[in-house]
């Protein structure tokens, strides 16, 4: 193998670069981070101003990547950020301080990528969606086939031209939530088919899917099928054939299924009972039936039937049963509490609603 011989073939002022940077730091970071450091050092030694936008433009990257580069070098210990973004002040530290700073290494921040965002496992997004400028969005659309595909498919599915705000939100799903394009495509189609084309609604769904770890079209399909089956069954039991869930109805159903963890057969049983008792069931009425079961610790149809038998026996004997709940032993509670059986609650509620319907 031939050796490489180097020769400086020109006369020019030189830029002093600390050798430890080349030997230890430059190879242990994304290449663009090293370029930002070196170019900024050259500008500083030459007395030239440096701006975040100028660095992003020169290296054809995002301004967020420039911020990430400086945070990386600060955490590495070779610069100090004396004032935060957007008007950052960077102090280049002398090499003799680098070893001290490096003795307590810190994890490097994640770099915004334009490919394979879902590959990063256990990703926890920031509390707020980032805001991208027009140049950044244009750059991503030009450089990434996936991003261009996302925007094009979104326009087709939503039936409109995307505004700057629309692209900001959609790209946030991809870059911020790390949802793959195939999942986002499925999400857009799913929401459009259910007459939800508002991006604020779609963003709530995207956040929910990200929390649930839905990172493939297969997982999205399985989740929506289960979701649709439960919703469709509940709406049918409520006498609604349209299949459209209002926000208030969704809140009730999510409370029953998620917060209270009530199984679907139990929810359908409550809907059937409400239908028998008041004719056309209402979500508020069904909610009270399910709440009574939840408070009584009833979680299965078998437990419901047992409670029904107990109630029937108690009514025939003239003494409706009471469910005794032992209070926690605290200085505020040294007495015995009792809660009426859920069937008695249903009967009283039914009588009240019948009186209201009869005027």
């Amino acid at each position: 193998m031939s050796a490489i011989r180097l020769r400086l073939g020109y006369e020019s002022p030189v830029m002093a670069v600390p050798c430890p940077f080349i030997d230890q730091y430059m190879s242990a970071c994304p290449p663009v981070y090293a370029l930002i450091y070196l170019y900024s050092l050259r500008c500083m030694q030459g007395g030239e101003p440096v701006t975040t936008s100028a660095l992003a433009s020169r290296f054809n990257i995002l301004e967020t990547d420039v911020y990430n580069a400086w945070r990386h070098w600060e955490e590495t210990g070779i610069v100090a950020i004396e004032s935060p973004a957007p008007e950052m002040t960077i102090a280049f530290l002398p090499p003799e301080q680098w070893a001290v700073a490096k003795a307590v290494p810190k994890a490097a921040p994640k770099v915004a990528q334009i490919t394979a965002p879902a590959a990063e496992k256990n990703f926890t997004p920031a509390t707020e969606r980032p805001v991208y400028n027009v140049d950044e969005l244009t750059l991503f659309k030009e450089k990434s086939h996936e991003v261009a595909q996302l925007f094009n498919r979104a326009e087709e599915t939503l039936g409109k031209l995307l505004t700057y705000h629309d692209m900001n939100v959609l790209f946030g799903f991809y870059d911020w939530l790390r949802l793959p394009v195939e999942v986002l495509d499925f999400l857009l189609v799913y929401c459009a088919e259910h007459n939800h084309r508002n991006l604020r609604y779609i963003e709530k769904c995207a956040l929910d899917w990200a929390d649930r770890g839905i990172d493939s079209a297969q997982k999205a399909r399985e989740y929506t099928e289960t979701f649709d089956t439960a919703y469709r069954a509940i709406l049918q039991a409520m006498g609604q054939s349209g299949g459209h869930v209002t926000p208030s109805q969704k809140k009730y159903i999510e409370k029953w299924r998620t917060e209270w963890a009530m199984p679907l057969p139990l929810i359908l049983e409550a809907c059937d009972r409400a239908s028998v008792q008041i004719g056309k069931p209402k979500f508020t009425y069904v909610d009270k039936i399910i709440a009574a079961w939840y408070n009584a610790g009833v979680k299965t149809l078998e437990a419901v039937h047992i409670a029904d038998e107990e109630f029937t026996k108690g009514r025939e004997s003239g003494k409706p049963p009471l469910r005794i709940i032992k209070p926690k032993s605290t200085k505020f509670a040294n007495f015995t509490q009792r809660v009426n059986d859920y069937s008695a609650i249903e009967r009283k509620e039914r009588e009240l609603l019948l009186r209201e319907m009869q005027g």
Side-chain angles (χ1 to χ4, degrees):
M1 181 179 295
S2 301
I4 298 176
R5 301 178 62 185
L6 302 176
R7 179 179 64 86
L8 186 63
Y10 60 90
E11 296 291 335
S12 69
V14 296
M15 180 183 75
V17 178
C19 290
F21 177 81
I22 299 174
D23 298 337
Q24 302 174 24
Y25 295 89
M26 191 170 68
S27 61
C29 71
V32 72
Y33 286 8
L35 293 175
I36 289 172
Y37 177 88
L38 292 172
Y39 181 78
S40 300
L41 182 63
R42 180 255 181 272
C43 291
M44 183 187 65
Q45 292 182 357
E48 301 176 13
V50 178
T51 64
T52 301
S53 59
L55 288 171
S57 176
R58 170 167 286 274
F59 296 110
N60 202 24
I61 59 176
L62 299 178
E63 290 186 23
T64 51
D65 285 336
V66 178
Y67 293 135
N68 287 339
W70 290 124
R71 294 189 187 99
H72 167 78
W73 292 126
E74 181 187 43
E75 292 180 348
T76 302
I78 67 175
V79 305
I81 299 179
E82 296 180 343
S83 63
E87 299 296 330
M88 302 180 75
T89 300
I90 310 295
F92 286 70
L93 302 179
E96 56 267 23
Q97 295 184 13
W98 293 2
V100 176
K102 192 174 175 59
V104 185
K106 301 179 181 179
K110 295 179 175 63
V111 187
Q113 300 289 341
I114 61 175
T115 57
E120 190 174 343
K121 300 299 182 183
N122 301 322
F123 175 76
T124 302
T127 55
E128 295 183 2
R129 173 172 48 82
V131 177
Y132 312 91
N133 62 42
V134 176
D135 292 337
E136 290 174 336
L137 292 173
T138 301
L139 174 63
F140 267 121
K141 187 176 180 180
E142 292 176 351
K143 298 296 182 181
S144 171
H145 172 72
E146 284 194 330
V147 175
Q149 177 187 352
L150 171 62
F151 290 160
N152 292 336
R153 289 285 290 158
E155 289 185 337
E156 294 175 5
T157 305
L158 301 179
K160 67 171 187 176
L161 293 175
L162 297 179
T163 65
Y164 161 70
H165 175 264
D166 295 338
M167 290 189 289
N168 237 304
V169 174
L170 287 169
F171 186 69
F173 299 165
Y174 178 83
D175 178 63
W176 172 46
L177 298 181
R178 297 295 197 259
L179 291 175
V181 168
E182 63 171 346
V183 173
L184 294 176
D185 188 35
F186 192 99
L187 173 64
L188 290 169
V189 173
Y190 176 79
C191 289
E193 288 178 347
H194 289 75
N195 298 317
H196 293 300
R197 290 180 169 81
N198 186 291
L199 277 176
R200 293 184 64 182
Y201 178 90
I202 297 174
E203 183 172 28
K204 292 180 181 179
C205 294
L207 285 165
D208 177 60
W209 288 21
D211 289 340
R212 295 176 185 273
I214 299 176
D215 56 5
S216 69
Q218 179 63 27
K219 289 183 180 180
R221 187 175 298 104
E222 292 173 355
Y223 173 68
T224 53
E225 287 176 355
T226 303
F227 182 87
D228 286 345
T229 299
Y231 272 61
R232 192 180 303 111
I234 293 171
L235 289 179
Q236 289 177 352
M238 295 290 290
Q240 300 182 20
S241 58
H244 177 70
V245 183
T246 67
S248 61
Q249 292 171 346
K250 181 179 179 181
K251 186 178 297 185
Y252 277 119
I253 296 174
E254 284 297 294
K255 178 174 67 173
W256 302 337
R257 299 188 65 229
T258 304
E259 182 180 344
W260 290 352
M262 303 299 274
L264 180 60
L266 208 63
I267 297 174
L268 298 179
E269 177 69 16
C271 295
D272 291 341
R273 292 188 179 212
S275 179
V276 171
Q277 292 166 5
I278 64 173
K280 187 176 182 179
K282 298 179 180 179
F283 273 84
T284 52
Y285 189 86
V286 174
D287 183 63
K288 291 181 180 179
I289 295 175
I290 297 177
W293 289 344
Y294 174 75
N295 292 330
V298 175
K299 286 292 186 84
T300 65
L301 285 176
E302 182 182 2
V304 169
H305 297 150
I306 293 174
D308 286 343
E309 292 176 1
E310 292 178 354
F311 174 76
T312 301
K313 293 177 181 179
R315 185 173 57 183
E316 291 174 351
S317 65
K319 296 181 180 180
L322 297 174
R323 180 177 293 275
I324 305 299
I325 300 178
K326 294 183 179 180
K328 294 181 179 179
S329 179
T330 67
K331 65 180 180 180
F332 301 105
N334 57 1
F335 56 89
T336 301
Q337 297 175 325
R338 64 182 186 179
V339 178
N340 287 330
D341 184 85
Y342 70 93
S343 299
I345 296 175
E346 293 178 27
R347 175 170 51 79
K348 292 179 181 179
E349 180 65 21
R350 180 173 69 254
E351 293 173 355
L352 176 61
L353 289 175
L354 288 175
R355 285 199 300 269
E356 292 178 352
M357 294 172 64
Q358 294 172 357

